[in-house]
Amino acid sequence: MWFLALKQLLARKRQTLFVIGGVLLGTAAYVLISGIMLGFQGYLITKLIDNDGHIHIAAKEENITRYSLDEALFGGQVLVDWKKFPSGRRDHAKIEHPSGWFELLDNDPRVLAYSPQINVQTLAQRGVISISARVVGVDPTKQERVTNINSYIQNGRLSDIGKAGNRIILGKQLMLKLGANVNENITLSTGKGAALSFRVVNYFETGTRAVDQGVIYAALADAQKLNRTPSQITDISVKLADVTEAKNVANGYARFSTDYVQSWDEENQSVFSVFRMQTAIRYIMSLSILLVAAFGIYNILNVIVTQKRKEVGILRSMGFTGQDVSRLFLYQGIVFGVFGGVFGVIIGYGACRLAGTYQIGDPLGTGISSLVVSYDIQIYLNALALAIGASVVAGWVPARGAGKLNPIDIIRSDG
Amino acid sequence: MGIDARNIHKFFGTPGQEVLKGIDLHIDEGEFVSINGRSGSGKSTLLYILSSLDPASAGELELDGKNIHAMSDEQLHRFRNEKMGFVFQFHYLLPELTAIENVLMPTRKTKSENARRTRAIDLMNEFGLSDKLKRLPGELSGGEQQRVAIARALIMEPSYIFADEPTGNLDSINGDLVMQIFRRISREQKTTVIMVTHDPDYAALADRSVHIADGRIVV
């Protein structure tokens, strides 16, 4: 039946091209919309993941409540009635058993790298200017393996700060605000002791304002000394071999630890609800385009079946079955789907390439100034499956009708 | 063998209008039979029932000694494909296919189009269509179209030809040509031909004429 199906399609070139064009537009639109949306999502996700590791382990900041002291003071057996409730916060948060974490992380095959950190709130001063900033004390070689901080530093790398020696790398905005420059000194103070002097060895620019205005990287030992908490850490940033495992691993850790353990996707819930919304919009748009195309296929095949009733009758008299006749029309639907799908994917790819050259400036300051477009093979497979699926369904209904036509009703000339 | 119809009844519509009222008819292998009668007498209905295309409301039909009720759908279609050829008043050629492709269309059911190509060309030569092989039906005259349709009916070397007013749309020259073809295949290839016609001259060319009036065979 392929022979006749193709002959019939070729005999109506304009109509065939028109229908294929409809499917093509739907498919191309799906590829383009998906490419742009997924490209944007992928871009954001990479930024989120790479800036901060896949799992974040942090010390819990514990507030003192009316029950907090009962057990320590009264053994928990007595009902205590305070005249004035104890309140306040524990002096500083810290991870209680860092060595336990290190052992666990060292032995977990899913963990690629991890970086212990201490986060310290400080006042950065240069001359008369002082700005509050967060010092992140890291082991630079470990931190480099967990995040892509190096890609935000020009002419240098994070390990330039060394293991100790009061060297820092800070956000560019912060440096500008302080009026400082590379190779100049600034002082950092926490209010707990004497201020320490640090030398600026370089600066970074991530494009995220909060980070660029408020973060200073220092060596772990220096930051601990500044905070007067030697060998304490407040955070551990973990990088996994497989990002998608993050939630599982984090949940596993959280079960036996009192520390705060969250995967990157849990920390960025709001972003993901936006993604879900985008995905829904993407499917609705593409499906409505494909629906129109499928309706076109359905309509045209219906008309063709009606026009070809006599020929259906003659085919049946030759011994072709109703199934053969159905196939004749179903194949035409498949041709619409396959050609529309394949060319739609090709044109969609071209449109994506074109969109990829569109300049949107560099709002995130990452050096990527054009639209990020995803070329995930899954988009293309989905597009093909949608186009062919829609065409088969749209072709199947009239084809089945044609297979059920009774030959005798069609060809009888008279009584 | 041949065709054996016993007590065939056919009703149409509701309330049932009886178009055929108990037909008993035996047609021998190789016989050339014409069925004639007035418009509305039931002659076409009888033809299509004998060809198994239309089921009878009651009665028995045997083709080649096989009861058609005992045949599966697939067997019946295969039988139709290999043993039967149909010629209608209108040619019903597929407009997208050339003359030779139309002739070869039935062979596609069994994928024997290449094996039968020589026979198709021979048939077209025989019918004076040797220079029209690659023409589309729309580019042929009425007589030529009908001859292509007959070649298509004969391509599988069927045992039975069912013809429903095959000369109805033709002038007398082309009509005579068609009748000559039927006459010849009946005599030379022992093909059974059953032809509905209301033209008494053409009916007289058959070995036997069956006259239908009011749903019954009138002798």
Side-chain angles (χ1 to χ4, degrees):
Chain A
M1 283 286 129
W2 271 113
F3 171 76
L4 187 55
L6 293 179
K7 282 277 181 183
Q8 291 192 344
L9 287 173
L10 286 175
R12 305 180 313 262
K13 285 195 191 71
R14 277 168 66 98
Q15 202 183 40
T16 304
L17 286 178
F18 193 73
V19 177
I20 288 179
V23 181
L24 181 153
L25 278 182
T27 315
Y30 176 85
V31 169
L32 180 62
I33 294 170
S34 300
I36 291 175
M37 284 194 175
L38 288 183
F40 170 71
Q41 292 180 4
Y43 172 68
L44 263 189
I45 288 174
T46 325
K47 270 192 78 79
L48 288 176
I49 295 173
D50 295 347
N51 284 351
D52 217 14
H54 303 163
I55 295 178
H56 187 209
I57 300 165
K60 265 199 185 123
E61 287 174 347
E62 220 179 315
N63 281 315
I64 294 167
T65 68
R66 60 182 292 187
Y67 305 111
S68 298
L69 303 180
D70 290 5
E71 195 169 320
L73 295 179
F74 305 101
Q77 302 294 322
V78 194
L79 191 66
V80 185
D81 190 18
W82 296 89
K83 275 195 176 152
K84 184 173 182 294
F85 299 140
S87 67
R89 217 184 79 179
R90 299 262 156 103
D91 60 346
H92 53 259
K94 62 174 182 189
I95 288 178
E96 292 293 345
H97 303 292
S99 53
W101 275 115
F102 298 159
E103 199 186 326
L104 178 76
L105 294 169
D106 280 332
N107 291 322
D108 193 330
R110 295 169 298 186
V111 173
L112 209 62
Y114 64 91
S115 168
Q117 303 170 350
I118 182 165
N119 277 277
V120 184
Q121 280 301 331
T122 62
L123 204 61
Q125 282 175 299
R126 182 171 181 275
V128 289
I129 305 162
S130 59
I131 298 169
S132 125
R134 180 162 61 96
V135 169
V136 184
V138 294
D139 178 334
T141 49
K142 284 184 176 170
Q143 183 73 6
E144 278 174 343
R145 293 180 61 202
V146 172
T147 72
N148 62 348
I149 178 74
N150 277 343
S151 65
Y152 301 125
I153 302 173
Q154 280 187 348
N155 311 320
R157 46 190 301 138
L158 189 64
S159 29
D160 294 344
I161 59 179
K163 294 266 186 199
N166 286 12
R167 286 186 288 256
I168 54 166
I169 290 179
L170 75 172
K172 188 183 181 186
Q173 303 295 327
L174 180 61
M175 186 178 77
L176 292 178
K177 277 188 166 184
L178 285 168
N181 219 326
V182 174
N183 286 328
E184 291 179 355
N185 286 339
I186 61 168
T187 44
L188 298 175
S189 61
T190 61
K192 289 175 190 164
L196 294 175
S197 177
F198 287 80
R199 191 159 64 90
V200 176
V201 293
N202 212 332
Y203 61 89
F204 62 84
E205 190 174 20
T206 63
T208 310
R209 188 170 287 267
V211 176
D212 291 349
Q213 279 186 353
V215 173
I216 300 170
Y217 281 103
L220 187 60
D222 293 343
Q224 285 166 341
K225 196 167 67 190
L226 178 70
N227 199 36
R228 305 200 157 220
T229 52
S231 78
Q232 278 187 12
I233 59 167
T234 58
D235 300 80
I236 305 174
S237 209
V238 182
K239 186 174 191 166
L240 300 177
D242 180 5
V243 189
T244 55
E245 276 283 293
K247 206 165 193 168
N248 280 337
V249 178
N251 286 344
Y253 290 170
R255 215 169 291 138
F256 56 76
S257 169
T258 53
D259 294 322
Y260 162 100
V261 184
Q262 272 206 311
S263 58
W264 63 279
D265 43 342
E266 287 169 323
E267 286 196 311
N268 296 286
Q269 290 280 4
S270 59
V271 174
F272 280 90
S273 60
V274 172
F275 287 176
R276 274 196 294 278
M277 182 75 121
Q278 281 189 337
T279 306
I281 292 171
R282 180 162 64 93
Y283 272 102
I284 289 168
M285 281 177 69
S286 316
L287 281 179
S288 39
I289 299 170
L290 274 178
L291 202 68
V292 173
F295 191 69
I297 293 176
Y298 169 80
N299 247 341
I300 285 196
L301 278 180
N302 244 349
V303 170
I304 294 172
V305 168
T306 315
Q307 284 172 350
K308 302 233 169 260
R309 281 168 57 89
K310 297 276 180 195
E311 293 166 31
V312 168
I314 198 72
L315 286 171
R316 296 296 300 275
S317 81
M318 285 177 200
F320 288 97
T321 60
Q323 225 178 26
D324 291 327
V325 170
S326 291
R327 241 177 262 147
L328 170 65
F329 296 104
L330 189 62
Y331 287 168
Q332 301 189 25
I334 292 174
V335 168
F336 293 144
V338 168
F339 277 79
V342 168
F343 287 112
V345 161
I346 292 171
I347 288 182
Y349 174 76
C352 282
R353 292 303 294 253
L354 208 63
T357 64
Y358 180 69
Q359 298 293 320
I360 51 166
D362 191 3
L364 297 179
T366 52
I368 303 168
S369 57
S370 50
L371 211 56
V372 180
V373 181
S374 167
Y375 295 100
D376 189 354
I377 185 75
Q378 198 61 44
I379 297 175
Y380 293 82
L381 295 179
N382 272 354
L384 270 183
L386 276 174
I388 295 171
S391 306
V392 167
V393 172
W396 187 75
V397 179
R400 206 175 65 119
K404 282 186 173 169
L405 287 174
N406 188 352
I408 194 63
D409 293 341
I410 307 168
I411 52 184
R412 190 199 319 273
S413 57
D414 65 8
Chain B
M1 298 301 246
I3 298 178
D4 211 7
R6 284 187 300 277
N7 200 20
I8 298 287
H9 290 263
K10 183 70 178 177
F11 299 90
F12 276 127
T14 45
Q17 187 204 348
E18 194 169 16
V19 180
L20 297 178
K21 300 168 181 169
I23 301 273
D24 288 289
L25 183 62
H26 179 82
I27 297 170
D28 273 326
E29 252 181 290
E31 207 179 0
F32 185 176
V33 176
S34 75
I35 302 173
N36 46 61
R38 283 194 195 153
S39 187
S41 61
K43 57 188 192 300
S44 285
T45 305
L46 177 61
L47 180 82
Y48 289 122
I49 287 177
L50 292 179
S51 73
S52 81
L53 221 49
D54 198 9
S57 305
E60 295 297 321
L61 176 66
E62 279 181 12
L63 294 169
D64 266 4
K66 277 172 278 187
N67 191 318
I68 64 153
H69 294 302
M71 288 162 85
S72 72
D73 202 46
E74 192 52 47
Q75 282 173 317
L76 199 57
H77 278 99
R78 185 145 281 249
F79 190 86
R80 233 178 253 158
N81 181 249
E82 290 171 354
K83 298 285 177 68
M84 293 182 186
F86 286 86
V87 181
F88 306 95
Q89 184 173 0
F90 188 67
H91 59 80
Y92 292 145
L93 296 174
L94 302 172
E96 298 89 1
L97 304 187
T98 62
I100 183 87
E101 284 166 347
N102 261 294
V103 172
L104 283 167
M105 196 61 213
T107 65
R108 292 186 175 273
K109 175 73 184 163
T110 49
K111 301 198 172 22
S112 54
E113 59 266 27
N114 289 324
R116 299 248 178 205
R117 187 166 297 273
T118 337
R119 172 170 168 79
I121 294 169
D122 289 347
L123 276 173
M124 298 209 33
N125 287 341
E126 195 183 329
F127 296 167
L129 297 164
S130 47
D131 53 339
K132 307 278 164 66
L133 297 183
K134 295 281 167 67
R135 297 287 179 84
L136 293 173
E139 301 164 344
L140 299 173
S141 73
E144 287 165 344
Q145 289 169 338
Q146 191 62 311
R147 274 177 276 153
V148 173
I150 295 172
R152 176 176 64 184
L154 294 174
I155 187 68
M156 297 297 284
E157 300 175 76
S159 318
Y160 303 94
I161 289 287
F162 296 92
D164 186 9
E165 302 273 12
T167 58
N169 276 343
L170 301 179
D171 57 28
S172 60
I173 296 169
N174 278 303
D176 290 349
L177 258 171
V178 166
M179 290 310 295
Q180 276 172 29
I181 293 170
F182 284 155
R183 204 50 270 179
R184 195 165 65 232
I185 56 170
S186 158
R187 201 167 291 151
E188 291 173 5
Q189 278 140 41
K190 296 287 168 226
T191 307
T192 312
V193 179
I194 301 126
M195 176 181 72
V196 163
T197 181
H198 59 258
D199 185 317
D201 292 341
Y202 290 148
L205 287 173
D207 299 334
R208 175 155 67 112
S209 275
V210 175
H211 191 76
I212 306 273
D214 286 335
R216 288 195 174 85
I217 294 178
V218 188
V219 184

PDB file of all heavy atoms in Angstrom, chain A residues 327-345:
ATOM      1  N   ARG A 327      -4.661   1.061   5.875  1.00  0.00           N
ATOM      2  CA  ARG A 327      -3.231   1.320   5.815  1.00  0.00           C
ATOM      3  C   ARG A 327      -2.906   2.385   4.761  1.00  0.00           C
ATOM      4  O   ARG A 327      -2.059   3.233   4.978  1.00  0.00           O
ATOM      5  CB  ARG A 327      -2.497   0.025   5.487  1.00  0.00           C
ATOM      6  CG  ARG A 327      -1.538  -0.382   6.577  1.00  0.00           C
ATOM      7  CD  ARG A 327      -0.888  -1.691   6.258  1.00  0.00           C
ATOM      8  NE  ARG A 327      -1.573  -2.774   6.942  1.00  0.00           N
ATOM      9  CZ  ARG A 327      -1.706  -4.001   6.453  1.00  0.00           C
ATOM     10  NH1 ARG A 327      -1.227  -4.298   5.265  1.00  0.00           N
ATOM     11  NH2 ARG A 327      -2.314  -4.915   7.147  1.00  0.00           N
ATOM     12  N   LEU A 328      -3.618   2.307   3.633  1.00  0.00           N
ATOM     13  CA  LEU A 328      -3.379   3.272   2.558  1.00  0.00           C
ATOM     14  C   LEU A 328      -3.452   4.703   3.096  1.00  0.00           C
ATOM     15  O   LEU A 328      -2.613   5.541   2.777  1.00  0.00           O
ATOM     16  CB  LEU A 328      -4.428   3.065   1.453  1.00  0.00           C
ATOM     17  CG  LEU A 328      -4.494   4.121   0.360  1.00  0.00           C
ATOM     18  CD1 LEU A 328      -3.219   4.140  -0.446  1.00  0.00           C
ATOM     19  CD2 LEU A 328      -5.692   3.858  -0.552  1.00  0.00           C
ATOM     20  N   PHE A 329      -4.450   4.971   3.953  1.00  0.00           N
ATOM     21  CA  PHE A 329      -4.621   6.334   4.451  1.00  0.00           C
ATOM     22  C   PHE A 329      -3.744   6.599   5.679  1.00  0.00           C
ATOM     23  O   PHE A 329      -3.225   7.691   5.847  1.00  0.00           O
ATOM     24  CB  PHE A 329      -6.096   6.592   4.754  1.00  0.00           C
ATOM     25  CG  PHE A 329      -6.948   6.531   3.518  1.00  0.00           C
ATOM     26  CD1 PHE A 329      -7.739   5.429   3.258  1.00  0.00           C
ATOM     27  CD2 PHE A 329      -6.911   7.559   2.593  1.00  0.00           C
ATOM     28  CE1 PHE A 329      -8.504   5.367   2.108  1.00  0.00           C
ATOM     29  CE2 PHE A 329      -7.668   7.502   1.435  1.00  0.00           C
ATOM     30  CZ  PHE A 329      -8.468   6.394   1.196  1.00  0.00           C
ATOM     31  N   LEU A 330      -3.587   5.567   6.495  1.00  0.00           N
ATOM     32  CA  LEU A 330      -2.735   5.725   7.681  1.00  0.00           C
ATOM     33  C   LEU A 330      -1.301   6.059   7.263  1.00  0.00           C
ATOM     34  O   LEU A 330      -0.650   6.926   7.847  1.00  0.00           O
ATOM     35  CB  LEU A 330      -2.757   4.440   8.506  1.00  0.00           C
ATOM     36  CG  LEU A 330      -2.087   4.542   9.868  1.00  0.00           C
ATOM     37  CD1 LEU A 330      -2.798   5.576  10.728  1.00  0.00           C
ATOM     38  CD2 LEU A 330      -2.091   3.194  10.575  1.00  0.00           C
ATOM     39  N   TYR A 331      -0.823   5.396   6.214  1.00  0.00           N
ATOM     40  CA  TYR A 331       0.534   5.648   5.726  1.00  0.00           C
ATOM     41  C   TYR A 331       0.688   7.112   5.313  1.00  0.00           C
ATOM     42  O   TYR A 331       1.736   7.719   5.503  1.00  0.00           O
ATOM     43  CB  TYR A 331       0.860   4.748   4.528  1.00  0.00           C
ATOM     44  CG  TYR A 331       1.084   3.291   4.893  1.00  0.00           C
ATOM     45  CD1 TYR A 331       1.146   2.319   3.908  1.00  0.00           C
ATOM     46  CD2 TYR A 331       1.241   2.911   6.215  1.00  0.00           C
ATOM     47  CE1 TYR A 331       1.343   0.979   4.241  1.00  0.00           C
ATOM     48  CE2 TYR A 331       1.432   1.585   6.551  1.00  0.00           C
ATOM     49  CZ  TYR A 331       1.490   0.616   5.563  1.00  0.00           C
ATOM     50  OH  TYR A 331       1.689  -0.684   5.891  1.00  0.00           O
ATOM     51  N   GLN A 332      -0.383   7.661   4.732  1.00  0.00           N
ATOM     52  CA  GLN A 332      -0.287   9.067   4.324  1.00  0.00           C
ATOM     53  C   GLN A 332      -0.140   9.958   5.544  1.00  0.00           C
ATOM     54  O   GLN A 332       0.637  10.907   5.550  1.00  0.00           O
ATOM     55  CB  GLN A 332      -1.509   9.449   3.491  1.00  0.00           C
ATOM     56  CG  GLN A 332      -1.620   8.576   2.249  1.00  0.00           C
ATOM     57  CD  GLN A 332      -2.685   9.049   1.268  1.00  0.00           C
ATOM     58  OE1 GLN A 332      -3.044  10.207   1.226  1.00  0.00           O
ATOM     59  NE2 GLN A 332      -3.162   8.127   0.450  1.00  0.00           N
ATOM     60  N   GLY A 333      -0.905   9.603   6.619  1.00  0.00           N
ATOM     61  CA  GLY A 333      -0.756  10.351   7.869  1.00  0.00           C
ATOM     62  C   GLY A 333       0.668  10.231   8.405  1.00  0.00           C
ATOM     63  O   GLY A 333       1.254  11.198   8.877  1.00  0.00           O
ATOM     64  N   ILE A 334       1.237   9.016   8.306  1.00  0.00           N
ATOM     65  CA  ILE A 334       2.594   8.792   8.807  1.00  0.00           C
ATOM     66  C   ILE A 334       3.597   9.621   8.000  1.00  0.00           C
ATOM     67  O   ILE A 334       4.511  10.214   8.554  1.00  0.00           O
ATOM     68  CB  ILE A 334       2.946   7.294   8.756  1.00  0.00           C
ATOM     69  CG1 ILE A 334       2.094   6.537   9.777  1.00  0.00           C
ATOM     70  CG2 ILE A 334       4.424   7.064   9.022  1.00  0.00           C
ATOM     71  CD1 ILE A 334       2.249   5.037   9.730  1.00  0.00           C
ATOM     72  N   VAL A 335       3.380   9.681   6.682  1.00  0.00           N
ATOM     73  CA  VAL A 335       4.279  10.487   5.844  1.00  0.00           C
ATOM     74  C   VAL A 335       4.238  11.949   6.296  1.00  0.00           C
ATOM     75  O   VAL A 335       5.272  12.589   6.459  1.00  0.00           O
ATOM     76  CB  VAL A 335       3.895  10.367   4.355  1.00  0.00           C
ATOM     77  CG1 VAL A 335       4.630  11.416   3.528  1.00  0.00           C
ATOM     78  CG2 VAL A 335       4.231   8.969   3.853  1.00  0.00           C
ATOM     79  N   PHE A 336       3.013  12.457   6.543  1.00  0.00           N
ATOM     80  CA  PHE A 336       2.906  13.840   7.031  1.00  0.00           C
ATOM     81  C   PHE A 336       3.725  14.000   8.312  1.00  0.00           C
ATOM     82  O   PHE A 336       4.469  14.961   8.479  1.00  0.00           O
ATOM     83  CB  PHE A 336       1.437  14.189   7.344  1.00  0.00           C
ATOM     84  CG  PHE A 336       0.550  14.251   6.132  1.00  0.00           C
ATOM     85  CD1 PHE A 336      -0.773  13.820   6.201  1.00  0.00           C
ATOM     86  CD2 PHE A 336       1.020  14.737   4.926  1.00  0.00           C
ATOM     87  CE1 PHE A 336      -1.597  13.883   5.102  1.00  0.00           C
ATOM     88  CE2 PHE A 336       0.195  14.803   3.820  1.00  0.00           C
ATOM     89  CZ  PHE A 336      -1.110  14.366   3.906  1.00  0.00           C
ATOM     90  N   GLY A 337       3.542  13.047   9.221  1.00  0.00           N
ATOM     91  CA  GLY A 337       4.210  13.146  10.527  1.00  0.00           C
ATOM     92  C   GLY A 337       5.720  13.051  10.407  1.00  0.00           C
ATOM     93  O   GLY A 337       6.443  13.845  10.990  1.00  0.00           O
ATOM     94  N   VAL A 338       6.195  12.072   9.619  1.00  0.00           N
ATOM     95  CA  VAL A 338       7.640  11.842   9.542  1.00  0.00           C
ATOM     96  C   VAL A 338       8.325  13.013   8.835  1.00  0.00           C
ATOM     97  O   VAL A 338       9.306  13.563   9.334  1.00  0.00           O
ATOM     98  CB  VAL A 338       7.936  10.510   8.825  1.00  0.00           C
ATOM     99  CG1 VAL A 338       9.417  10.412   8.494  1.00  0.00           C
ATOM    100  CG2 VAL A 338       7.517   9.340   9.695  1.00  0.00           C
ATOM    101  N   PHE A 339       7.780  13.414   7.692  1.00  0.00           N
ATOM    102  CA  PHE A 339       8.417  14.516   6.966  1.00  0.00           C
ATOM    103  C   PHE A 339       8.295  15.824   7.744  1.00  0.00           C
ATOM    104  O   PHE A 339       9.279  16.549   7.903  1.00  0.00           O
ATOM    105  CB  PHE A 339       7.823  14.661   5.561  1.00  0.00           C
ATOM    106  CG  PHE A 339       8.443  13.719   4.572  1.00  0.00           C
ATOM    107  CD1 PHE A 339       8.055  12.391   4.539  1.00  0.00           C
ATOM    108  CD2 PHE A 339       9.438  14.149   3.710  1.00  0.00           C
ATOM    109  CE1 PHE A 339       8.634  11.499   3.658  1.00  0.00           C
ATOM    110  CE2 PHE A 339      10.028  13.263   2.829  1.00  0.00           C
ATOM    111  CZ  PHE A 339       9.626  11.934   2.800  1.00  0.00           C
ATOM    112  N   GLY A 340       7.069  16.097   8.254  1.00  0.00           N
ATOM    113  CA  GLY A 340       6.895  17.307   9.046  1.00  0.00           C
ATOM    114  C   GLY A 340       7.815  17.296  10.260  1.00  0.00           C
ATOM    115  O   GLY A 340       8.427  18.292  10.597  1.00  0.00           O
ATOM    116  N   GLY A 341       7.908  16.127  10.897  1.00  0.00           N
ATOM    117  CA  GLY A 341       8.733  16.006  12.099  1.00  0.00           C
ATOM    118  C   GLY A 341      10.210  16.196  11.785  1.00  0.00           C
ATOM    119  O   GLY A 341      10.892  16.996  12.429  1.00  0.00           O
ATOM    120  N   VAL A 342      10.690  15.477  10.772  1.00  0.00           N
ATOM    121  CA  VAL A 342      12.127  15.526  10.462  1.00  0.00           C
ATOM    122  C   VAL A 342      12.532  16.930  10.006  1.00  0.00           C
ATOM    123  O   VAL A 342      13.481  17.519  10.519  1.00  0.00           O
ATOM    124  CB  VAL A 342      12.489  14.476   9.393  1.00  0.00           C
ATOM    125  CG1 VAL A 342      13.897  14.731   8.859  1.00  0.00           C
ATOM    126  CG2 VAL A 342      12.391  13.075   9.980  1.00  0.00           C
ATOM    127  N   PHE A 343      11.768  17.499   9.064  1.00  0.00           N
ATOM    128  CA  PHE A 343      12.123  18.837   8.594  1.00  0.00           C
ATOM    129  C   PHE A 343      11.896  19.875   9.687  1.00  0.00           C
ATOM    130  O   PHE A 343      12.645  20.847   9.795  1.00  0.00           O
ATOM    131  CB  PHE A 343      11.360  19.192   7.315  1.00  0.00           C
ATOM    132  CG  PHE A 343      11.875  18.444   6.122  1.00  0.00           C
ATOM    133  CD1 PHE A 343      11.108  17.474   5.498  1.00  0.00           C
ATOM    134  CD2 PHE A 343      13.165  18.680   5.644  1.00  0.00           C
ATOM    135  CE1 PHE A 343      11.599  16.757   4.408  1.00  0.00           C
ATOM    136  CE2 PHE A 343      13.659  17.974   4.562  1.00  0.00           C
ATOM    137  CZ  PHE A 343      12.879  17.010   3.950  1.00  0.00           C
ATOM    138  N   GLY A 344      10.861  19.649  10.514  1.00  0.00           N
ATOM    139  CA  GLY A 344      10.609  20.557  11.621  1.00  0.00           C
ATOM    140  C   GLY A 344      11.784  20.584  12.603  1.00  0.00           C
ATOM    141  O   GLY A 344      12.194  21.635  13.072  1.00  0.00           O
ATOM    142  N   VAL A 345      12.324  19.391  12.871  1.00  0.00           N
ATOM    143  CA  VAL A 345      13.465  19.301  13.774  1.00  0.00           C
ATOM    144  C   VAL A 345      14.677  20.016  13.172  1.00  0.00           C
ATOM    145  O   VAL A 345      15.380  20.758  13.851  1.00  0.00           O
ATOM    146  CB  VAL A 345      13.773  17.813  14.071  1.00  0.00           C
ATOM    147  CG1 VAL A 345      15.177  17.653  14.590  1.00  0.00           C
ATOM    148  CG2 VAL A 345      12.774  17.267  15.068  1.00  0.00           C
TER     149      VAL A 345
END
